[in-house]
Amino acid sequence: MKYYAPKGLYDIKPEEMPYWHAVEEEVRATMPLHGYEEIRTPIMEKTEVFARGVGEETDVVSKEMYTFEDKGGRSMTLRPENTASVVRAYLEHKFYGKEELSKWYYLGPMFRYESPQKGRSRQFHQYGAEAIGSDDPALDAEMINLAVDLLTSLGLDEVGLNLNSIGCPDDREDYIDELIDFLTPRKDQLCHDCQERLKTNPLRILDCKNHTCQSVVEDGPEITDYLCSECQSHFDEVRAYLSELNLSYELDPKLVRGLDYYTKTVFEVYSSDLGAQDALVGGGRYDGLVKLFGGDPTPAVGFAGGIERLVLLLEELDSVDLETRDLDVYLASLDRETKKRGLALVNELREAGVKAEIDHLDKSLQGQLGYADRYGAEITAILGPQEIAEEEVTLRDMETGDQTRVSITEFSSRVIEQLNSAG
Ligand code: HAM
């Protein structure tokens, strides 16, 4: 074997597809119920969209982007996430002048140069939703509800919700000053990365996975104590709406999220069954991003979930129907002439919505019957020279071996009748 998929990039094989389809179908069914329309942005953007949108100091931008120069000498980046692209599209197409509230969802691959492990890959897939144009706390609550609802509809009961508010930039500035004052004398206890973060992005120290760093910040200041009255009342209202929706959550004052655009509400939905990579969904409000991209100040909120992690969990549940390639009809032909007629008949069946196949491997009749059996054909039809001469097709009951003849002209309707009566 000479070629392998690049490290951290995986094929999604046919046998895994039922899980992917289950997720995609649930997303496509649920999003419109909440008023979200699909948007598809390109898989790559000019690098500055993410550098500016997500933040130069974040791990995503500083360490994890797939950035390259295209043949025109432009710096391009494979999207590491979709929120910045969606906001770029919102402004580019002037949606602010067309609708008061843009509510969009998406599904698609994202790319981050991370160390691959279970549930973490370099190409991964997200589904997500973004609502641009409202600062209503009820929208935050609905967004969280939508994220949770999608998971529970897929049969995941054991999901937890972590919630926090990181306030507005002013609140955060005050808090970061306090955090730096608290951490500087304890700097030596922090891991190497966090010692760097203390200079570049101190908030990231709060969600470092290193145990010592965690115990250091444990006793440190909490951002929720630094919220201004507007951010505090927004947070109170989000919580009140969540209670209305009967959504239980845990307050996590250390939850800050890894992307710079967040303001006020942030949340993560996780499953304890996932181990270290436990966040299934992450999201929050980003009231400053549209302005950062040159638009009028426009509040927004959204989330994204990782499909690979979700599929890992679904594989453990028995809720997804795995029968995929089961055939309705297999048509065995015996030579070139019968195959020609057979091809037309199979085509007729497919046009009527019947899953039908014909031999492409030059198998003997016995071999073809074996193939039909392997793919669970409900009806196997045989078209030999004798049948052609009499303008008939033989239908074989795969269980009993009983055979009957029907006329070629009635073949499709008889087959469909038989399939319908079998239910
Ligand atoms: P994020 O937390 O970076 O947020 O990613 C959201 C989800 O994508 C994670 O919870 C996880 O399930 C999945 N994910 C992220 N990285 C990987 C990876 N390397 N391998 C597998 N799955 C991964 C965002 O991307 C924000 N854009 C979410 C958002 C939308 N906030 C507001 N609107």
Side-chain angles (χ1 to χ4, degrees):
M1 197 10 242
K2 210 166 151 193
Y3 297 113
Y4 298 89
K7 185 176 171 190
L9 278 67
Y10 302 101
D11 300 307
I12 305 164
K13 299 186 284 301
E15 68 260 28
E16 297 163 64
M17 273 307 164
Y19 301 102
W20 286 77
H21 289 164
V23 175
E24 290 162 7
E25 279 160 23
E26 193 59 51
V27 169
R28 293 193 188 289
T30 306
M31 292 290 189
L33 291 179
H34 291 247
Y36 290 81
E37 295 174 295
E38 186 176 359
I39 182 163
R40 295 188 197 184
T41 58
I43 229 140
M44 64 178 96
E45 297 272 353
K46 288 188 194 140
T47 300
E48 65 228 46
V49 169
F50 304 114
R52 226 173 136 56
V54 175
E56 301 270 9
E57 302 299 344
T58 60
D59 282 356
V60 169
V61 171
S62 64
K63 297 185 187 160
E64 297 169 1
M65 293 211 301
Y66 280 91
T67 297
F68 59 95
E69 206 171 87
D70 74 4
K71 292 192 193 304
R74 302 169 200 90
S75 178
M76 306 293 287
T77 293
L78 296 182
R79 62 183 185 190
E81 61 104 55
N82 211 23
T83 310
S85 309
V86 164
V87 170
R88 193 265 312 134
Y90 172 83
L91 286 167
E92 179 171 339
H93 307 294
K94 301 188 173 57
F95 274 94
Y96 46 84
K98 298 181 201 162
E99 52 192 26
E100 286 166 288
L101 180 58
S102 296
K103 294 173 76 177
W104 296 332
Y105 81 88
Y106 49 81
L107 275 163
M110 311 288 155
F111 304 85
R112 294 184 194 176
Y113 192 81
E114 293 191 80
S115 332
Q117 51 178 274
K118 197 173 173 211
R120 192 202 281 164
S121 45
R122 291 182 174 172
Q123 175 179 333
F124 60 98
H125 296 74
Q126 283 185 344
Y127 60 94
E130 314 288 351
I132 308 177
S134 166
D135 61 3
D136 182 7
L139 187 59
D140 306 38
E142 267 197 354
M143 193 59 89
I144 295 170
N145 189 41
L146 170 58
V148 173
D149 202 32
L150 272 163
L151 299 174
T152 45
S153 310
L154 281 163
L156 302 184
D157 301 324
E158 304 294 317
V159 293
L161 170 61
N162 280 347
L163 181 70
N164 193 20
S165 172
I166 57 167
C168 52
D170 283 348
D171 301 347
R172 226 155 33 241
E173 212 171 293
D174 294 346
Y175 172 67
I176 289 171
D177 287 346
E178 284 295 319
L179 189 64
I180 293 174
D181 284 351
F182 173 81
L183 290 174
T184 305
R186 297 167 176 81
K187 189 175 165 193
D188 295 345
Q189 299 169 48
L190 298 174
C191 73
H192 178 73
D193 282 352
C194 283
Q195 295 192 7
E196 277 304 303
R197 287 176 183 137
L198 194 53
K199 288 181 244 152
T200 56
N201 197 349
L203 277 187
R204 301 297 310 147
I205 299 174
L206 296 181
D207 57 13
C208 177
K209 296 265 186 269
N210 184 302
H211 288 299
T212 337
C213 298
Q214 280 175 4
S215 64
V216 173
V217 296
E218 188 69 28
D219 303 323
E222 293 187 343
I223 187 141
T224 32
D225 293 330
Y226 294 79
L227 300 183
C228 63
S229 62
E230 194 213 316
C231 290
Q232 184 63 56
S233 85
H234 182 94
F235 195 37
D236 292 343
E237 283 196 56
V238 172
R239 295 181 60 186
Y241 282 118
L242 288 176
S243 310
E244 264 337 291
L245 290 166
N246 279 328
L247 267 179
S248 46
Y249 57 87
E250 235 172 88
L251 285 180
D252 179 0
K254 300 283 181 323
L255 177 68
V256 286
R257 312 262 311 125
L259 314 162
D260 275 357
Y261 47 63
Y262 291 111
T263 52
K264 296 183 178 165
T265 318
V266 288
F267 66 95
E268 280 183 356
V269 187
Y270 64 91
S271 160
S272 42
D273 295 337
L274 266 182
Q277 299 305 321
D278 62 355
L280 280 169
V281 170
R285 196 160 258 296
Y286 47 97
D287 291 347
L289 190 54
V290 175
K291 180 159 183 273
L292 188 73
F293 277 6
D296 287 340
T298 309
V301 60
F303 74 84
I307 304 186
E308 277 76 3
R309 294 177 191 186
L310 188 47
V311 164
L312 280 176
L313 290 175
L314 289 180
E315 280 171 351
E316 284 164 26
L317 294 174
D318 241 356
S319 56
V320 174
D321 182 4
L322 292 184
E323 287 169 78
T324 46
R325 205 176 150 187
D326 271 8
L327 275 175
D328 294 323
V329 177
Y330 183 87
L331 193 140
S333 54
L334 297 186
D335 56 25
R336 212 173 126 70
E337 208 42 48
T338 56
K339 189 164 175 173
K340 277 191 195 158
R341 292 296 292 272
L343 198 63
L345 289 177
V346 158
N347 199 41
E348 207 176 299
L349 286 175
R350 290 173 184 155
E351 280 171 3
V354 174
K355 283 202 268 180
E357 278 192 44
I358 195 169
D359 173 55
H360 297 294
L361 299 169
D362 268 338
K363 284 183 185 289
S364 65
L365 178 61
Q366 219 40 45
Q368 292 185 57
L369 295 180
Y371 185 97
D373 204 32
R374 176 161 170 223
Y375 288 104
E378 269 193 50
I379 297 172
T380 298
I382 302 168
L383 193 61
Q386 206 189 341
E387 278 90 350
I388 297 261
E390 291 163 24
E391 286 290 305
E392 286 185 337
V393 183
T394 299
L395 299 186
R396 183 184 170 91
D397 184 316
M398 292 297 277
E399 275 189 7
T400 60
D402 291 347
Q403 305 199 148
T404 50
R405 290 274 196 105
V406 298
S407 87
I408 282 189
T409 47
E410 283 174 11
F411 173 68
S412 301
S413 54
R414 285 287 294 277
V415 162
I416 292 167
E417 221 171 80
Q418 202 169 318
L419 286 171
N420 286 342
S421 69

